[in-house]
Amino acid sequence: GEVLVLDWGIAKLTGEPEGAAAGTDTVDASVNVPLRPATRSGSVTGTAGYMSPEQARGDAIGPQSDVFALGAVLFEILCNRPPFADREDPTVVGTATPGSAALSSKLTFPESPAVPAELKSICVRALSWDASARYANAGAFTEDLVAWLEGSKNLVRAEELLADALAEHERMDQLRREAVTLRAQASQILEAVPAFVPVAVKLPAWDLQDRAASMDKEADACSVRFRQAVWSALTFHADLPGAHRRLADHYAVEHARAETSGLSDEAAKLEVLLRDHDRGGHTSYLAGEGVFSLATDPPGATAELHRYVVRDRRLQLEKVGNLGTTPLERVSLPMGSYMVILSAEGRQTVRYPVQIRRLEFWDGVPPEGGSTAPVYLPREGELDADEIYVPAGWFWSGGSDVAIGRRSVMPRRRLWMDGFAIRRHQVTIGEYVDFLNNLVRQGRQQEASPVAPRVAGRQGELGALLLDQNPDGTYFIPANNYFGTPWHPDWPSVFVDWYGATAYAREKAARSGKRFRLPTEFEWEKAARGVDARRFPWGDFLDPTWCRMLETHAGFPTPSPAGTDEVDESPYGARDMAGNQRDWCMDVPSEQGPPVSAEGRVIGYLDSHEAWNVRVARGGNFLDSQLWCWSYHRSSFLPHVREYIISFRTARSIAGAEPQAIGMRPPSPPPAG
């Protein structure tokens, strides 16, 4: 740790009077070697390659002169050559005046290997021609140099921590991919296993789910360790190359996942972190601009744009302006939820919802690819007066990243649904009685009697009839219902089982020549929610006055007349899809929902010929709490169940293929006992 200073021949004591040593010799007693005369004003003594300009000129020298010499040594260490080739001639240096650029312009550093910018700055300052611009003394020079050395060590440590962080991130991605694969395998196994089979049969699937859950937990831990390691790296080096970018990339992925999952609070927190660490790579993502294209059949439709805004806690439409006529190509829009009103001569007005997500191109291209699929505009009169039209396109289904259960919530997915029509509101009691009476007048009493509104009967027996009958066998609505309260003909039909609902749709199809049926549950969900994954038909917040539910009533709970709750209206105009009555659907429930192609197209509904197989019912009712009013919530009942809370509405395909009935493999009967 010692330093040997070897040549004191031109040393000058700080503060020594000029000329004090002139003409004298001094002797170092330790080595008994005569030293050269000390420097005095006007003389030039020293090594040309390391002399400061003032020393070369013979001017007064001081601590800054030593700084210059140290800077020259530092330059040679860095560049393996003296700083100025011309300095071998001290007369040239001596003619340079303070501030002159004659020689300083030749102070160049090699491009490879590159000298760190901070170290280069220290060296340049020490070699300044103007003494006053240099460090005041060698101590100040040393402070900056030591600070840089410490910073260099910190950079090495920071890079080590960043490498550790990236390893954690890679591990996190791997675990999440494996967890998705395991859950898919488990779902495939459970789909083929009836609920009543012994636990031993389900254990392999449960084991896969448990392993997936464990991987998710470990992935979350990797995510935490990744962030902590990057943050630690930044404490060692605040501008570590790549660190902020890696964090920003991570937060962008997590933010997109939270936003897609509808976790608005979590997304808001992640956006703050993303903005804090973004260095320009996510500017477009944060701006949220998107584009959409739209074609219609026929072309030339007028397109009027409205934007959904939250007002009084509900999504309400606010006109933006006219977009012109279709086709529309790459229209720029800020991210958000929109409604395009399409109108053309001789065609029905069509409501076409659009959701612009961050950087998304809403192009209307179907799952199989190709060009934008034209939105069909039904001809005038093609829809019945009580029908609304849901055009083909993408929509969000489900309410969770994973399936919660066969009878609750399906996994969250983006799916393509062909165009269809659905009744604006449920079939009323009065309409259902007319259907029964038409059967009676045709001599089909035996068909009418089993599907007439009744209370639940014993197995194999019809329950008590809830309608009164005329002498000719036709039905009429009694003054009071089953509970002794008035029964209105414009209420949704109740105490009608799944068979009665399908019989009504089948008879309506026979009379009209149109292919009426019950809706599939994906059709029902899209008609209720639109395309933007809202929780209720009107948005994400529920007030009991907005739909007919349990908390709506001050006294004895009753339904409301079908379609009269104006707020309980979907983006397409369907009513009573959050409350009033549930709706029978065609489907047999399954954990993953109805059949979907690998590309995401809804291809049909799950069916079964087993009479006891349960059927899906969607929507809330006047006796339900908030949970059951969610548009993605599902329930299921045995098809012969008759309830005061289940009604139905009809649907049919428009300009699209009829949904296929995909046969469900009949499960084995439960074991004896």
Side-chain angles (χ1 to χ4, degrees):
E2 294 182 345
V3 176
L4 299 181
V5 180
L6 296 182
D7 186 353
W8 291 93
I10 56 172
K12 179 182 185 298
L13 296 177
T14 302
E16 178 186 9
E18 293 295 334
T24 65
D25 285 351
T26 57
V27 177
D28 185 335
S30 65
V31 294
N32 198 27
V33 177
L35 299 179
R36 285 175 292 174
T39 305
R40 62 182 174 180
S41 179
S43 66
V44 177
T45 305
T47 304
Y50 301 89
M51 284 192 293
S52 66
E54 64 269 19
Q55 183 177 352
R57 289 191 300 268
D59 295 342
I61 62 174
Q64 291 93 337
S65 302
D66 291 333
V67 169
F68 189 97
L70 289 171
V73 174
L74 175 60
F75 184 94
E76 192 162 354
I77 291 172
L78 296 174
C79 304
N80 200 32
R81 60 178 173 80
F84 307 109
D86 293 339
R87 304 260 350 253
E88 295 301 326
D89 182 357
T91 61
V92 175
V93 177
T95 60
T97 59
S100 171
L103 296 178
S104 61
S105 62
K106 298 182 180 180
L107 188 63
T108 57
F109 292 83
E111 294 184 1
S112 179
V115 177
E118 291 181 10
L119 189 56
K120 186 188 296 184
S121 177
I122 293 171
C123 189
V124 168
R125 181 179 175 184
L127 288 170
S128 174
W129 289 109
D130 186 350
S132 64
R134 298 177 208 142
Y135 291 98
N137 50 54
F141 172 80
T142 302
E143 287 178 5
D144 271 11
L145 196 59
V146 170
W148 177 85
L149 287 169
E150 289 299 318
S152 180
K153 294 176 183 177
N154 288 343
L155 176 60
V156 171
R157 179 58 180 146
E159 289 174 339
E160 291 173 349
L161 288 167
L162 182 59
D164 293 341
L166 297 181
E168 291 288 352
H169 201 278
E170 184 177 352
R171 175 65 176 157
M172 177 195 73
D173 288 340
Q174 179 184 355
L175 288 166
R176 285 181 173 164
R177 287 192 298 268
E178 291 177 1
V180 169
T181 301
L182 292 179
R183 282 200 174 88
Q185 293 173 355
S187 295
Q188 189 174 9
I189 293 172
L190 291 175
E191 279 292 312
V193 174
F196 55 75
V197 301
V199 167
V201 180
K202 303 168 186 173
L203 284 177
W206 291 359
D207 179 61
L208 292 173
Q209 290 176 335
D210 291 344
R211 287 167 55 193
S214 178
M215 287 180 176
D216 279 337
K217 288 181 180 179
E218 178 58 25
D220 290 341
C222 288
S223 175
V224 172
R225 289 194 291 268
F226 162 76
R227 283 175 282 176
Q228 288 177 330
V230 179
W231 291 336
S232 296
L234 289 172
T235 62
F236 280 95
H237 197 289
D239 295 315
L240 178 65
H244 288 287
R245 178 177 59 82
R246 292 287 188 173
L247 269 180
D249 291 346
H250 173 76
Y251 289 132
V253 171
E254 295 298 313
H255 179 270
R257 181 181 290 112
E259 203 167 60
T260 301
S261 301
L263 304 174
S264 56
D265 291 344
E266 181 68 14
K269 296 174 186 176
L270 289 165
E271 183 173 342
V272 171
L273 292 167
L274 171 57
R275 290 184 182 277
D276 188 46
H277 293 281
D278 182 47
R279 297 298 183 266
H282 297 278
T283 301
S284 296
Y285 176 84
L286 289 167
E289 282 280 319
V291 295
F292 88 103
S293 295
L294 175 63
T296 58
D297 176 16
T302 300
E304 185 178 278
L305 182 67
H306 298 254
R307 181 169 187 167
Y308 278 106
V309 296
V310 177
R311 192 164 55 246
D312 298 333
R313 301 197 177 186
R314 288 192 289 124
L315 287 173
Q316 302 187 50
L317 288 176
E318 196 172 80
K319 185 174 179 179
V320 177
N322 293 319
L323 297 175
T325 57
T326 58
L328 303 172
E329 293 289 341
R330 301 190 69 86
V331 178
S332 295
L333 288 177
M335 66 179 224
S337 187
Y338 298 86
M339 177 67 74
V340 183
I341 307 296
L342 300 168
S343 57
E345 186 176 354
R347 300 285 175 149
Q348 301 264 178
T349 298
V350 170
R351 298 166 68 89
Y352 182 72
V354 172
Q355 183 192 24
I356 301 297
R357 297 184 296 167
R358 293 181 186 272
L359 306 181
E360 181 177 61
F361 179 19
W362 181 283
D363 54 13
V365 174
E368 299 77 20
S371 58
T372 299
V375 175
Y376 176 69
L377 308 182
R379 293 177 174 81
E380 290 184 353
E382 188 173 350
L383 299 179
D384 290 353
D386 59 1
E387 288 183 307
I388 57 104
Y389 176 56
V390 180
W394 294 97
F395 76 104
W396 282 100
S397 169
S400 173
D401 290 335
V402 296
I404 296 176
R406 299 186 181 205
R407 301 184 183 182
S408 50
V409 179
M410 286 185 290
R412 189 182 184 90
R413 288 175 292 177
R414 194 164 184 248
L415 305 172
W416 176 279
M417 174 72 69
D418 286 336
F420 63 95
I422 191 169
R423 267 190 65 123
R424 188 179 305 277
H425 54 75
Q426 289 136 336
V427 174
T428 66
I429 297 173
E431 290 173 316
Y432 195 78
V433 170
D434 289 342
F435 150 68
L436 294 174
N437 288 338
N438 285 332
L439 293 179
V440 173
R441 293 187 184 102
Q442 296 174 39
R444 299 161 64 187
Q445 176 66 40
Q446 290 184 340
E447 295 179 45
S449 179
V451 296
R454 297 175 180 274
V455 297
R458 294 181 179 179
Q459 186 174 2
E461 298 179 1
L462 291 176
L465 183 66
L466 296 176
L467 299 176
D468 288 341
Q469 285 185 284
N470 295 306
D472 63 356
T474 57
Y475 299 90
F476 66 92
I477 303 171
N480 294 323
N481 62 16
Y482 180 68
F483 298 101
T485 58
W487 202 357
H488 298 285
D490 52 357
W491 281 357
S493 54
V494 290
F495 292 106
V496 175
D497 62 13
W498 185 84
Y499 299 110
T502 54
Y504 178 95
R506 188 167 54 247
E507 185 64 18
K508 185 175 182 179
R511 291 198 315 270
S512 65
K514 301 175 181 179
R515 303 185 69 172
F516 287 103
R517 50 176 171 77
L518 297 184
T520 68
E521 63 168 321
F522 275 150
E523 287 176 333
W524 190 98
E525 186 175 354
K526 184 178 182 181
R529 305 176 75 185
V531 302
D532 57 10
R534 59 185 65 187
R535 181 173 293 174
F536 305 103
W538 56 80
D540 291 326
F541 180 83
L542 181 144
D543 184 86
T545 63
W546 294 346
C547 68
R548 202 71 168 178
M549 57 179 293
L550 183 61
E551 289 86 353
T552 304
H553 314 274
F556 187 83
T558 62
S560 58
T564 57
D565 292 313
E566 295 182 1
V567 177
D568 190 0
E569 181 175 274
S570 80
Y572 302 102
R575 298 276 182 94
D576 296 344
M577 304 196 87
N580 213 18
Q581 296 287 1
R582 293 180 187 166
D583 284 320
W584 283 115
C585 295
M586 297 186 66
D587 311 73
V588 171
S590 68
E591 186 170 334
Q592 295 296 319
V596 174
S597 71
E599 299 80 16
R601 177 186 288 273
V602 177
I603 58 178
Y605 61 98
L606 198 60
D607 199 7
S608 172
H609 297 296
E610 298 288 347
W612 50 267
N613 242 315
V614 295
R615 298 287 172 166
V616 170
R618 297 295 293 260
N621 66 76
F622 70 101
L623 293 176
D624 274 339
S625 60
Q626 179 176 155
L627 174 65
W628 295 93
C629 297
W630 292 351
S631 296
Y632 52 79
H633 207 284
R634 57 208 296 248
S635 53
S636 54
F637 300 88
L638 289 167
H640 59 265
V641 164
R642 300 168 183 267
E643 288 279 0
Y644 197 28
I645 58 172
I646 309 177
S647 185
F648 70 96
R649 66 183 81 210
T650 56
R652 61 191 177 100
S653 298
I654 300 285
E658 281 290 320
Q660 303 175 35
I662 308 298
M664 180 180 180
R665 180 178 64 83
S668 304

